[in-house]
Every structure is written in C-alpha cells, then in structure tokens.
Amino acid sequence: MATYSLPPKKEQSSFKKFKKIFILLAVIALYVWTFLGIDIDWTRAVERAASNFHRVIPKLFSPDWAAAGEVSQKILETIFIAFAGSFMAAILAIPLGFLAAKNMSRGKLLSAIGKWILSAIRAFPDIILAILFVVAVGPNAFAGVLAIAIGSTGMLGKLYSEVVESIDMQVVEAMEANGANKVQALFYGVLPQIIPEFLSYAIYRFEIDIRASSILGIVGAGGIGTMIIFAANNRNWNEMGMILLAIIIVVTIIDFISARIRRKIV
Amino acid sequence: MTKQSNSLSQGTTPPIFPVKTKIQVTVIFFVVIGVYLFSMFWTQQQMVGGFGNAIGNMVVVIEKFFPPNLSILPAIWDPMAQTIQMAIIATTVAAVLTVPLALLSAQNITTFKPLYYFTRTLLNILRTIPDLVLAVVFVGLFGIGLFPGIIALIIFSLGILAKLISETIEAVDMNPLEAMRASGGNILQVIFYGLVPQVLPQFTSFVLYVFEINIRASVVLGLVGAGGIGLVLDQQLGFYNYPNAMAIIVLIFVVVLVIEYISNKLREALI
C-alpha cells in the first residue's frame, strides 16, 4: 500500500520567521493594550438598552409621515450641498491631480509635493472641515458645500493623479515628435485619454458626498443632518425613522443612477 | 474612402466627433452648470452678508484657531487612545462577523437564490446609512458612552467589509474547489482548504482598509456623544476655546496620517 504524504514545506529564512513572530507579538500587544484600556459600563448599557428598546426601535420602523414635507425639503438641500461640493472638487482636483502625477513633470519633487498636499487634505475627516467652515462662514449650507469641496478634493486628486499616471505616453511622445507644442499635446494627447475616467470618478465621489453631506448638519452645516440632531435631542424617533427612510431612498436612487452613468462613460 | 480623400483634398477635415454627440455633451454640460449655479444660490441664501463677506470673515476666524494650544496634548491623549481602541475593537468584531455574511452574499457559495438576494439587499440598505446617523440612533438606545460608538462602527464597517469580501469570494478560481468536492471533501473542508488560501491576503488587506475608515469615523463619533476624542472636541468648541480645539484637530490629523501610513505599508506588503 502506498503511503500518502504531503509535499515538503518550503524552507523559510530565519529573517522571515523573525518578521512573522515580530508581527504576531505586535498584534498581541495591540490587543492587550486595547482590552485593558477600554472601559465599558456593561451593566449600564444593558439596562439602558432594556428600558429604551421598546421606546426606540418600534418607532424607527413607523416613520412620521407628517414630517415628510420638511424632510424632503432638507434632503433636497443635502443633494444641493453634495452637488455643489462635488462640482467644485472635481474642478479643484484637476490641477492637483496633474501636479501629483509622476509622468507630468520631470523632477520627482513636484509630484511628491502634490501627493503630500493631497494626503494631508485626506487626513481631515469631512466633518472636522465642516466644523472649521461653520466657524468661518456661519452655520449654513454653504459651510457644508465648502467642507465637501475641500474634503473631496483630497480623494479625487489622488484618483485623478493615478489616472494621469496610467495614460499611454507614447501618444504624447509621438505628437511631440511631430512638432506639437505642450498645449497641443495636452489637449489632443492627454485629455481624450483621461476625461472619461475623470468624469467617472467625479460622479463616484458625488455618491460618497451624498452620504457625507447628510451628516454635516450635525455640526450645523445644513442639510438633513440638522433634522437628525433635533430629532435625536427631542427623542422624536418617529421623525428619525422618516429621516432614515428618506436617506436610504435617496442614496439608493443616486447610487443606481450614478452606477448606470459610470458604466456608460467608461 | 473616396469620400474622405475628397474632403481632404478640398481642405476641410472631417469632425472628430459626430454632431449628435456634440449636441448631447453641450446640453449635459449646461444642465450640470445650471444645477451647480442653482445649488450655489440655494446654499448661500441663508448666509448673512453673502460670499464676499464670508471670505473676509473666514480669515478673521481662522486666525482665532492659531496658534493651537499644544500644551493640552497630554490631557487629550487618553480620549485619543480610547478612540483608537474603539476602532480596533469594532474592526475586529466586524472582521469576525463579516465571514458568514460575506459567504451568504457571494453568488458562487450561496446557491440558494432567495437567501443570497436577502443578504445582498440587507447589506445594500446598511451601506446607505452614514456612520454618524447610526451613532445617533445607538446613543439614543444605549445612552452616552463608548459602547454605542463601537456598535455603530461595527454595523457601519460590516456593510462595507461584507460587500468587498463577497466580491473577492465571487472572483476566486472555482476549479480547485470543484476538484476537492469531486474527490470527497465536505463543504467545510472545501471552504478551509480551497477558499481560505485564495481569499486570505485580500481579506487582511480589506480589514486594514476598513480599520483606516473606522479610525476616521471614530474621531468624530464623539460629536454625537458616542465617546472618544470627538466628545472633547465638541466641548472645546462649545466653550469657544478655539486654540484647544485646533490642538485636538492637529492631533487627529497626525494620528490619522500615521495610522494610514502604517496600514498602507502593511497592505502593500500583503498583496
């Protein structure tokens, strides 16, 4: 009878073994730190949940239709904030995207600066930007627009720069060899290659911005978030149910339309 | 062919794009600009003093934030650590819970169609709700503290993670799995020896990605009372203590950058 055995395992270098053990120890240390550090008042949370459950959950599922008018007006404002913000970002991100792209400038310095600016912008959560702009321009929807515009520029700029880096440079070289100047090469060599993907990413970012702008109102930057915070403070969970329903519907519709358009463009 | 050479000989080049496309693009362009202008008008209508005033005001107000009062850093380190711990716990729990959900919403594993559509729809609905809205609801349910924040993060990241991982599962090479089943492996064996090795690197990478998202989300959860550094930020803003608030924002900025850098390096090493 033949004996079955597994093929021999690959020899691992001691450096790799050491690295594995080190990572394992680091992860264990991280978890020990986490579970020792966190303190959750379990009894209080369970008590609260037990007493609040029937007051909150059933009401969330029976939305207050009387608030539908106000909710739809605010959700429209949310869409406007997201649209204006995404549009500004789609424009603002173009120069930054080109700046950060490695193949658009000779030296490495410019693209490094561009990448650094973009990742710095991305490190700010949208809502922190909203706080800054609410203080600057007052608690209104325009603060939300500015927050969305700046916040989206970080991500769009990065995506744009990746698109620019992935273009076929041979076309551009051929044009320059034929005597086209920089502007002509940009317009006829670079732009046709990047416009569909730029558009697609801008629309994709609009999807994300709809979600983002729906919470900006929590810090006073307009949109449906204003109603969320009022409903929560007044414990008006029926109204909260209506707001949640509106957000779910609007986000689903916009995701659907945007996915359709993006599939058509690219 | 002959027609083209004719037009060339006459000195007129044929248009690159057909006329219909041009009209379409022009119409779409003007609609987009129109909606944009209307949005700008709408969002600025409650503003006092209009745009020009706001720009001048902005400079004055931004000056109030500077210089950040960095001497409070030792005092705000504890809530910051708590925020990171929240994100770690939430990501871990979500990573565990996502396994059954991702399997249920992968078309090639869950062959029972109604179940597949049910989990898919559930995840789609889950993903439409922003993290802070979940936090508001859970704060209402569990009271103020870390716990509602963690629950909100878990639910929120579950939606993203399950979708990403189910897509990875759908993209795996099914041949080894079929071979295993054909040679007598049961469903658990097929999953462990056929599916897991193919999915694991992607899985780890996505978990790290969601961890990054959770870090960003957790720093602001406190604004609605769900614990962490956001709570302190909210208080300082409430006292109009802008240099302190700016110090917190700077700390958040640095922590997010550092964690993102580490996580990026790890993800690059994985794939």
Side-chain angles (χ1 to χ4, degrees), chain A residues 31 44 48 122 127 135 140, chain B residues 47 61 92 140 143-144 216 220:
Chain A
Y31 275 108
R44 205 185 63 133
R48 277 287 184 86
R122 263 178 297 139
I127 201 135
V135 176
N140 53 49
Chain B
M47 230 161 80
V61 173
T92 314
I144 287 171
R216 281 148 186 283
V220 295

Side-chain angles (χ1 to χ4, degrees), chain B residues 82-95:
Chain B
Q82 248 176 11
T83 311
I84 299 171
Q85 286 161 347
M86 269 166 74
I88 291 177
I89 292 180
T91 314
T92 314
V93 177

Side-chain angles (χ1 to χ4, degrees), chain A residues 9-29, chain B residues 200 204 266 269-270:
Chain A
K9 282 192 174 165
K10 261 193 251 172
E11 274 290 319
Q12 275 188 331
S13 66
S14 53
F15 173 72
K16 262 196 171 172
K17 270 185 196 161
F18 175 76
K19 210 167 98 178
K20 266 190 182 168
I21 292 173
F22 176 75
I23 290 176
L24 192 71
L25 284 179
V27 171
I28 290 175
Chain B
L200 201 57
T204 326
L266 282 176
L270 277 168

Side-chain angles (χ1 to χ4, degrees), chain A residues 216-228:
Chain A
L216 291 180
I218 289 173
V219 294
I224 191 87
T226 324
M227 288 189 80
I228 292 175

Side-chain angles (χ1 to χ4, degrees), chain A residues 30-239:
Chain A
L30 199 61
Y31 275 108
V32 169
W33 174 70
T34 300
F35 283 100
L36 289 182
I38 204 104
D39 84 289
I40 295 172
D41 198 344
W42 288 103
T43 46
R44 205 185 63 133
V46 172
E47 262 173 37
R48 277 287 184 86
S51 67
N52 280 352
F53 190 84
H54 65 279
R55 263 184 264 163
V56 177
I57 300 297
K59 285 190 178 174
L60 279 181
F61 288 97
S62 58
D64 176 15
W65 294 101
E70 203 188 340
V71 167
S72 54
Q73 196 202 337
K74 279 287 175 191
I75 208 119
L76 204 64
E77 187 175 278
T78 307
I79 297 174
F80 286 147
I81 293 173
F83 190 88
S86 314
F87 188 90
M88 280 172 148
I91 305 291
L92 278 176
I94 293 174
L96 283 170
F98 272 99
L99 183 68
K102 279 190 193 118
N103 53 349
M104 283 293 129
S105 51
R106 294 262 182 274
K108 275 191 171 172
L109 183 69
L110 276 180
S111 88
I113 293 175
K115 287 208 155 65
W116 196 86
I117 294 175
L118 289 173
S119 65
I121 297 173
R122 263 178 297 139
F124 282 105
D126 287 342
I127 201 135
I128 300 277
L129 288 172
I131 290 175
L132 294 178
F133 283 119
V134 163
V135 176
V137 303
N140 53 49
F142 193 64
V145 173
L146 290 174
I148 294 283
I150 303 295
S152 315
T153 304
M155 182 187 142
L156 272 182
K158 180 173 183 255
L159 292 171
Y160 282 5
S161 75
E162 280 165 9
V163 172
V164 173
E165 277 170 12
S166 74
I167 66 166
D168 186 358
M169 283 303 277
Q170 282 171 337
V171 179
V172 182
E173 272 166 34
M175 290 183 109
E176 278 176 353
N178 278 319
N181 61 27
K182 285 264 175 230
V183 177
Q184 282 171 327
L186 182 69
F187 268 91
Y188 295 100
V190 178
L191 282 189
Q193 293 190 56
I194 57 174
I195 281 182
E197 280 174 73
F198 272 31
L199 276 179
S200 162
Y201 279 135
I203 295 170
Y204 170 63
R205 183 65 216 193
F206 175 60
E207 271 177 53
I208 301 179
D209 285 341
I210 288 280
R211 291 177 170 80
S213 63
S214 64
I215 54 175
L216 291 180
I218 289 173
V219 294
I224 191 87
T226 324
M227 288 189 80
I228 292 175
I229 207 74
F230 279 138
N233 287 344
N234 299 334
R235 311 209 160 271
N236 190 347
W237 299 108
N238 294 107
E239 195 178 300

